[in-house]
């Protein structure tokens, strides 16, 4: 079985996000970029499945400009067997991404597609669901635990009401949540090995996918800054201040 | 854990360089230019190249021209030619312009972000075949059977607070190389071990340092004058403390502001962080920042000892370059050109000789050292206070350092006065309202990150001293000299004294002030898990 894992290059979770002064988007100038943390968890799970002898090959796929090759190389250093970059502008919307993945699926015929439940930049959480629909295969989203047996995946999902365990037939699309596993550290010699692993570059044209950005972003702005508080001396002053502000 | 340690995996290189700063990257690039077949690796503890680099920085481009002749066609992302220099003397309420000393004339120089410059150099090094490994900390030295340096040991990852392996445990490997180049920057922790082991400093003065705290601001449109370089001396420092400010006007309404305080200050109650914040509130300075916002901030020590304090820079199997050796030219307030130059010089030496032997002599007869020798008496001249320091600086500048005398440096950790000998100084400090509110708020702008479940990387060798002697003699200066609020004295009913030292290691920005300034020399800074630490942007 082949496992396809989606990887997105995003602003690192430690970085303090800043909106560009003109409101046209998030400032990424000189900012640290990383693999979307949920995608890293998806890759870790794929590697564990392969190491358990239930898959032969793990392929990491990313859509983006050449900068995303850095994240693909990190994925290869973690242990993926090969990588595919679909050359595209850095900002694509979920439907285009899902269509491109669908074309990669048609070429690679994977038994399982593992994706992060969402990317920490757009927070859309749509690609996995759209891909399952396009592929006409089952989906299991927000996986916090999973196991494979024959052609069935048993997946525990983190949902609002608690945990829900479902079974899906493979091939399927599974999107993973934070608690599924803790990704490994990359071993230094593996970075060198990763440089020699195959990284194929395709274009959206090669895949016959056109860009459809249906959502237009009008303006970005940071959340309002919390106003400075005051220290009150006693309860009486607290009540007075609340009254002043018309809060009681 | 010693019983469970199995033999470490080994990688072999011809040259291993510790630290992807300007000196390390210059050395790597030059080595590959001279000998393309050499296997060269650079190890860097920050998650990305440049993320632990913090500097002013105005740089002299000469050495960069030499290293990469075409660089001006493809400049680093933050690179503004200097248009004008300004030096002022501040009192609490006034600002008086002073003539710019010749060392500080910056015509032809560039204001850069040194972090961005290193991030820009790294792919150029990779393009000539250098292997760069960011996110891996060289935590120890590998010694050969002949007691020579034979490479480095990479720190283990996935170890919990008590030193036990976690599920993600990964043993660090050894990188063996006939030559190790220490390019760790100021107060490198491996350099420190090696200087001590091989007694490299036995014929030099004690090293001396300063701590620089810096912020990058987005200011209101129209306030920034691209290319303007401003320095000040005087307030908020007292006359016996050496230091000053810098304000560098970049492009896109961005302004870099910082303050450097020499770490031989004597008042145990002094806080370099507070001095910097006070400086921003000077009536002549504050308007620049009002209405603006901080983009990033952090701190780093700088090495000030110059030629008298320069240790021997070669030892069996290894050499020191850049500020790991201590090549900063303080009167110029510049070290980057010296770092790049020394890196190239080391590369030429390695390519010619194939050993570390003789590098000390080569460096000392090079322009790197000539430059330092000329200005050697300026920094120690300030040990007698600001005014006598300025007079010495004037004489030394006019005579180009030719007077047959050499003033000496003293160790920073021995300069604090006991509380009982210290008069409270009225520093005319004001109530502050510009960001950041305090050191915790400031650490936020450094985007520093350490997994809390790892061994504390600030080792206190004799914790009892902190609570007893240090409290009485100096009132816990670590709680003030650390710009990141790592050290806190907290109440603890279970402790005998009712208080204990709490180390917030996750706040650490890797500046090394504690390792230098602690009066008992019982704080030992070691590398945390690779990839930890600040994530500086354009500093």
């Amino acid at each position: 079985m082949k496992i396809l894992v989606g990887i997105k290059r995003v602003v690192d979770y430690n970085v303090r996000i800043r909106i560009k002064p003109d409101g046209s988007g998030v400032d990424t100038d000189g900012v640290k970029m990383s693999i979307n943390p949920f995608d890293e968890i998806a890759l870790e799970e794929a590697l564990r499945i392969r190491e358990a002898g239930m898959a032969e090959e793990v392929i990491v796929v990313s859509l983006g400009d050449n900068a995303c090759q850095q994240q693909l190389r990190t994925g290869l250093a973690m242990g993926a067997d090969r990588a595919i970059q679909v050359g595209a502008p850095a900002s694509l919307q979920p439907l285009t991404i899902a269509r491109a993945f669908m074309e990669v699926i048609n070429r690679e015929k994977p038994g399982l597609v593992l994706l992060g439940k969402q990317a920490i930049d757009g927070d859309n959480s749509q690609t996995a669901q759209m891909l399952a629909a396009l592929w006409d295969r089952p989906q299991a989203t927000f996986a916090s635990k999973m196991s494979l047996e024959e052609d069935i995946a048993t997946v525990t999902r983190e949902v609002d009401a608690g945990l829900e365990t479902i079974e899906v037939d493979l091939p399927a699309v599974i999107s993973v949540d934070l608690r599924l596993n803790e990704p490994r550290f990359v071993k230094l010699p593996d970075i060198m090995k990763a440089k020699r692993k195959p990284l194929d570059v395709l274009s959206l044209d090669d895949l016959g996918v056109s860009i459809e950005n249906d959502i237009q972003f009008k303006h970005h702005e940071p959340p309002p800054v919390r106003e400075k508080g005051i220290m009150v001396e006693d309860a009486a002053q607290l009540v007075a201040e609340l009254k002043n502000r018309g809060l009681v | 854990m010693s019983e469970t340690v199995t033999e470490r995996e080994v990688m072999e290189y011809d040259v291993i360089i510790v630290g992807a700063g300007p000196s390390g990257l210059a050395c790597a690039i030059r080595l590959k230019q001279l000998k393309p077949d050499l296997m060269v690796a650079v190890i860097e503890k920050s998650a990305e190249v440049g993320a632990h680099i913090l500097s002013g920085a105005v740089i002299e481009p000469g050495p960069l021209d030499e290293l990469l002749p075409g660089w001006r066609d493809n400049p680093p992302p933050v690179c503004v030619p200097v248009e004008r220099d300004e030096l002022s003397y501040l009192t609490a309420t006034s600002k008086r312009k002073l003539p710019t000393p010749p060392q500080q004339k910056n015509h032809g120089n560039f204001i850069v972000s040194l972090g961005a410059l290193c991030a820009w150099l790294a792919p150029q090094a990779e393009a000539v075949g250098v292997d760069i490994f960011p996110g891996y900390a060289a935590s120890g030295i590998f010694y050969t059977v002949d007691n020579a340096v034979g490479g480095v040991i990479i720190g283990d990852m996935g170890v919990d607070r008590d030193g036990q392996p976690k599920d993600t445990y990964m043993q660090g490997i050894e990188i063996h190389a006939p030559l190790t180049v220490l390019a760790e920057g100021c107060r490198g922790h491996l350099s420190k071990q090696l200087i001590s082991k091989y007694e490299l400093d036995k014929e030099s003065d004690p090293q001396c340092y300063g701590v620089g705290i810096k912020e990058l601001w987005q200011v209101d449109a129209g306030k920034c004058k691209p290319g303007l370089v401003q320095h000040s001396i005087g307030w908020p420092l007292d006359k016996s403390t050496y230091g000053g400010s810098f304000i560098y006007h970049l492009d896109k309404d961005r302004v870099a502001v910082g303050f450097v305080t020499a770490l031989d200050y004597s008042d145990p109650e002094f806080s370099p962080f507070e001095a910097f914040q006070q400086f921003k509130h000077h009536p002549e300075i504050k308007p620049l920042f009002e209405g603006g916002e901080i983009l990033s901030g952090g701190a780093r020590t700088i090495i000030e000892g110059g030629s008298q304090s320069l240790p021997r820079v070669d030892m069996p199997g290894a050499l020191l370059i850049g500020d790991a050796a201590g090549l900063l030219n303080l009167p110029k307030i510049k070290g980057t050109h010296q770092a790049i130059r020394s890196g190239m010089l080391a590369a030429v030496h390695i390519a010619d000789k194939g050993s570390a032997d003789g590098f000390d002599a080569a460096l000392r007869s090079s322009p790197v050292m000539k430059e330092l020798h000329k200005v050697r008496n300026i920094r120690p001249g300030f040990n007698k206070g600001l005014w006598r320091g300025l007079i010495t600086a004037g004489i030394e500048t006019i005579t180009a350092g030719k007077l047959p005398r050499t003033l000496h440096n003293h160790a920073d950790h021995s300069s604090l006065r006991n509380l009982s000998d210290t008069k409270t100084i009225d520093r005319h400090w004001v109530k502050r309202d510009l960001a950041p509110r305090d050191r915790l708020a400031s650490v936020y702008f450094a985007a520093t990150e350490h997994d809390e479940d790892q061994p504390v990387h600030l080792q206190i060798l004799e914790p009892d001293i902190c609570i007893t002697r240090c409290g009485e003699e100096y009132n816990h200066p670590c709680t003030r000299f650390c710009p990141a609020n790592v050290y806190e004295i907290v109440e603890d009913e279970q402790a005998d004294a009712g208080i204990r030292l709490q180390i917030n290691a996750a706040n650490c920005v890797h500046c090394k002030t504690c390792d230098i300034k602690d009066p008992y020399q019982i704080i030992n800074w070691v590398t945390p898990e690779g990839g930890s630490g600040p994530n500086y942007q354009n500093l």
Side-chain angles (χ1 to χ4, degrees), chain A residues 14 16 18 186-187 192, chain B residues 9 131 136 295 444 449:
Chain A
N14 283 312
R16 212 170 50 84
R18 214 181 135 265
V186 174
K187 284 175 77 173
M192 299 310 296
Chain B
E9 207 173 319
D131 292 332
Y136 295 88
L295 303 179
Y444 172 65
E449 200 261 339

Side-chain angles (χ1 to χ4, degrees), chain A residues 12-16 18-19 21 27 29-33 48 70 182-189 191-193 195 228, chain B residues 9 11 13 43 47-48 131 133 136 154 157-158 168 170 173 218 252 254 293-295 444-445 447 449 529 535 537-538:
Chain A
D12 187 83
Y13 70 97
N14 283 312
V15 170
R16 212 170 50 84
R18 214 181 135 265
I19 305 291
D27 193 355
D29 175 26
V31 166
K32 181 183 169 195
M33 306 296 282
R48 290 183 188 187
Q70 192 192 345
E182 196 177 338
R184 65 194 63 192
F185 291 107
V186 174
K187 284 175 77 173
L188 208 144
I191 296 176
M192 299 310 296
K193 285 179 201 147
K195 289 186 178 175
K228 217 172 169 181
Chain B
E9 207 173 319
M11 274 171 96
Y13 276 90
I43 288 290
E48 287 211 312
D131 292 332
F133 301 111
Y136 295 88
I154 304 299
M157 310 243 242
T168 51
M170 187 183 75
I173 66 164
Q218 182 88 44
K252 301 179 192 158
R254 290 179 299 182
E293 64 167 318
I294 305 187
L295 303 179
Y444 172 65
F445 295 104
E449 200 261 339
E529 190 170 90
N535 288 288
Q537 279 169 45
N538 292 332

Side-chain angles (χ1 to χ4, degrees), chain B residues 481-496:
Chain B
F481 59 56
C482 170
N485 209 19
V486 167
Y487 301 93
E488 266 186 288
I489 296 289
V490 294
E491 289 182 13
D492 185 350
E493 288 172 5
Q494 270 147 38
D496 293 342

Side-chain angles (χ1 to χ4, degrees), chain A:
Chain A
M1 181 172 80
K2 277 185 197 175
I3 305 178
L4 215 60
V5 179
I7 278 184
K8 187 174 185 185
R9 173 183 167 91
V10 297
V11 173
D12 187 83
Y13 70 97
N14 283 312
V15 170
R16 212 170 50 84
I17 294 295
R18 214 181 135 265
I19 305 291
K20 287 182 195 163
D22 64 2
S24 63
V26 170
D27 193 355
T28 54
D29 175 26
V31 166
K32 181 183 169 195
M33 306 296 282
S34 302
I35 297 182
N36 175 38
F38 295 111
D39 300 346
E40 211 180 348
I41 294 168
L43 174 55
E44 174 66 35
E45 197 64 21
L47 296 174
R48 290 183 188 187
I49 293 169
R50 190 193 63 195
E51 283 159 4
M54 287 181 286
E56 290 78 48
E57 193 177 31
V58 174
I59 307 165
V60 283
V61 183
S62 188
L63 276 79
D65 55 25
N66 287 346
C68 80
Q69 290 187 3
Q70 192 192 345
Q71 279 63 43
L72 288 172
R73 288 285 172 206
T74 306
L76 293 171
M78 276 178 73
D81 299 288
R82 60 192 173 93
I84 299 173
Q85 179 206 354
V86 179
S91 60
L92 288 179
Q93 289 174 12
L95 187 56
T96 307
I97 298 171
R99 284 186 172 137
F101 264 105
M102 189 59 235
E103 293 308 318
V104 176
I105 287 173
N106 286 338
R107 290 169 175 230
E108 299 289 346
K109 310 268 187 279
L112 176 63
V113 176
L114 278 169
L115 302 174
K117 69 164 181 173
Q118 68 194 69
I120 60 167
D121 50 3
D123 277 348
N124 284 310
S125 191
Q126 293 172 11
T127 303
Q129 296 87 328
M130 287 175 169
L131 179 59
L134 290 173
W135 195 12
D136 198 20
R137 293 300 309 169
Q139 59 175 298
T141 50
F142 317 137
S144 65
K145 206 176 149 192
M146 62 178 281
S147 59
L148 299 184
E149 211 169 325
E150 300 287 315
D151 287 339
I152 294 172
T154 308
V155 177
T156 302
R157 308 177 60 226
E158 287 199 11
V159 292
D160 288 350
L163 299 175
E164 177 185 273
T165 302
I166 62 170
E167 286 185 352
V168 291
D169 293 332
L170 298 179
V173 179
I174 297 178
S175 83
V176 308
D177 213 327
L178 196 63
R179 275 168 277 271
L180 182 62
N181 61 45
E182 196 177 338
R184 65 194 63 192
F185 291 107
V186 174
K187 284 175 77 173
L188 208 144
D190 291 343
I191 296 176
M192 299 310 296
K193 285 179 201 147
K195 289 186 178 175
R196 294 189 292 271
K197 288 182 180 176
L199 190 160
D200 296 323
V201 182
L202 302 172
S203 69
L204 284 175
D205 284 346
D206 294 337
L207 298 177
V209 174
S210 55
I211 298 174
E212 274 179 70
N213 282 347
D214 299 330
I215 304 159
Q216 283 184 8
F217 290 94
K218 296 286 190 196
H219 188 69
H220 295 74
E221 60 183 276
V225 182
R226 200 179 135 197
E227 276 179 44
K228 217 172 169 181
I230 55 161
M231 296 296 282
V232 290
E233 295 289 330
D234 49 26
Q237 195 196 348
L238 175 65
V239 172
E241 290 292 344
L242 289 172
K243 273 188 181 154
N244 272 346
R245 289 165 171 74
L247 295 169
V248 287

